[in-house]
Amino acid sequence: MKKLAILGATGSIGASTLSVCRANPDLYQITLLAASSSVNKMFLLCQEFTPLYVSMSDKKSRLRLTVLLKQVNSPCQLLDNEEQLLQLLASNEVDSVMAAIVGGAGLKTTLAAVEAGKEIFLANKEALVMSGALFIEAVLKSGAKLWPVDSEHNAIYQALSSTLQNSIGACDLQGQGVAKILLTGSGGPFLEKKLADFKAITPAQAVKHPNWSMGQKISIDSATMMNKGLEYIEARWLFNARVDQLQVVIHPQSVIHSMVQYKDGSVIAQMGNPDMRVPIAHVMGGGSRIDSGVAPFDFFSGVNLNFAKPDFNRYPCLKLAIDACYQGQHATTTLNAVNEVAVEAFLNNQIKFTQISQLVERVLNSRETQQINSIEHLLQIDSESKAAARQLIKRDLLC
Ligand code: NAD
Ligand code: MG
C-alpha cells in the first residue's frame, strides 16, 4: 500500500479524493489529513480514516480538534506547526501527496513534497501559476512524479503519447507531432447573460456553476473565466507549450474535458461526466483504470456538444491571464495574488463582479517587470501585490 498525504482534505477535492479511497481501500494508507479550520469535518474524517497524522493550519481549530480527538481516545497525532508538516511531507512516511489546498497557501507544502521527490497529484493550480519555472525546475531536479488532477490537464495528459506523459515539465510537443492543446471551458454561469447586467451579479449567482460542484474560490474563478486563464498558465508549464500551441475553446456542456490536436489532423479528446473523481481515480491508479464511483456517460441522453471562441469582452480575466503568461513570472505571480484578494472581496460584498478584472488589471499595470529567481522573491511580490490590491479596495479607487 502506498502512503498518502491529503492536503486540503476537508475541501471539495479532498472529499472526492477520500471517496476514491473508499472505493479502493487496498490502494493507499492515509498518513496525513491536512486542512485549515473545518474542525467538525476533520473530526469525522479522523474517525473514519484514522490517519497517522492530522494538521490544522488555524491555531484555534487545532486546539479544538485536540480536545475532540482526546475525548474519543483517537490514535491520530496532531501536528503542532507548519515546520512539522513540511518535515513529514519530505519524510519516508509519505509516498504520494494530493495537493488540494486552495490558493497560494498551498505553495510551501506542495513545493516541499516536490523537492523531496514525492509523487504529486496536483490540484492546487495556483501553486504552479505563482512559481512557474521554479516549480518545474524543482520537479525536474528531484525527479518527483507530477500528475495533473485538474480535469483539463488530466484530459490532455491522457491524450498524449507516453513519451510526453513521461516528460511533464519538459515536453517536446512539436517533436511528438502535437499541433495544439485545446483547453476547453464551459464559460461558467454567465455565458448567455447580457453584459449590461454583469455589474449586478451577486456572489450567490456567481458560485452556482452549471456543470461542476466545487469550492467557492474556483467557482468564482470559473464565472470570470480567470480559472481558464490560470489553467492556461498551468498548461504552459506542465506541457512546456508555446503561445501558438495553446488555445481556449468554449464548450458549455463540459463533456469533453480538453483535447490534443495532432499535425496529421487527428484530435484526441477525453470525455465523461463532469466529476472530479474521474481524474482523481486516474492519477491515484497511476494511469491504470480503477473504480471512481462515477456513472458512465450516457450518449443517448440528448446532450449536444457545442464549441465557440471565447469573447474577451465577457471574460476580461481570461485575456489578462493569457497576456500575463507571456509577460513573465512577475506578472503571473501578481495576477494570481490580486485575483485571490479580489475574489475574497467580491464574496464579502466589498467589490462588484466587474471590479475583479479591474483590480487585477490596475495592480498589474502598476508593477514593474522583475526577474524572479527565488521563492522568497516570489512570495515578496505576492504579498506586495496583495497589499496594493487591498489599498485600492480600501480607498474605493475602482470605478
Ligand atoms: P475548497 O475551498 O473546497 O477546499 C480547500 C481546502 O484547502 C480545504 O480543506 C481548506 O481547509 C484547505 N486550506 C485552505 N487554506 C489552507 C491552509 N492555509 N493550510 C491548510 N489547508 C488549507 O477548494 P477546492 O475546490 O477543493 O479546490 C482545491 C484546489 O484544487 C484549488 O487550487 C482548486 O483550484 C483546485 N481544483 C479544484 C477543482 C474542483 O472541482 N473543486 C477542480 C480542479 C482544481
Ligand atoms: Mg479545471
Side-chain angles (χ1 to χ4, degrees), residues 2 43 58 73 79-80 99 101 163 172 290 327 332 353 364:
K2 285 206 265 186
F43 180 57
D58 176 67
N73 284 327
L79 300 180
D80 288 332
I101 290 176
T163 306
D172 174 10
I290 61 170
Q327 281 158 13
T332 50
F353 184 77
L364 271 172

Side-chain angles (χ1 to χ4, degrees), residues 7-16 34-38 41 55-58 85 99-103 105-106 109 122-127 149-152 212-219 221 227 230-231 234 276:
L7 307 174
T10 56
S12 165
I13 293 288
S16 296
S36 162
S37 57
S38 320
K41 264 194 195 173
S55 164
M56 300 295 283
S57 63
D58 176 67
L85 173 61
I101 290 176
V102 61
T109 43
L122 184 71
N124 179 212
K125 66 193 88 182
E126 295 94 340
V149 171
D150 215 347
S151 59
E152 295 76 5
W212 296 91
S213 153
M214 308 180 285
Q216 276 200 324
K217 181 197 179 254
I218 186 172
S219 297
D221 285 348
N227 183 50
L230 298 177
E231 291 182 352
E234 182 184 12
M276 286 307 293

Side-chain angles (χ1 to χ4, degrees), residues 107 111 114-115 128 130-141 237 329 372-379:
L107 179 69
L111 260 186
V114 166
E115 282 164 359
L128 180 54
M130 270 177 91
S131 60
L134 292 172
F135 189 103
I136 295 298
E137 260 169 39
V139 169
L140 298 176
K141 188 170 163 205
W237 290 113
Q329 189 60 59
I372 300 184
N373 32 34
S374 73
I375 294 294
E376 292 68 33
H377 188 192
L378 190 141
L379 291 173

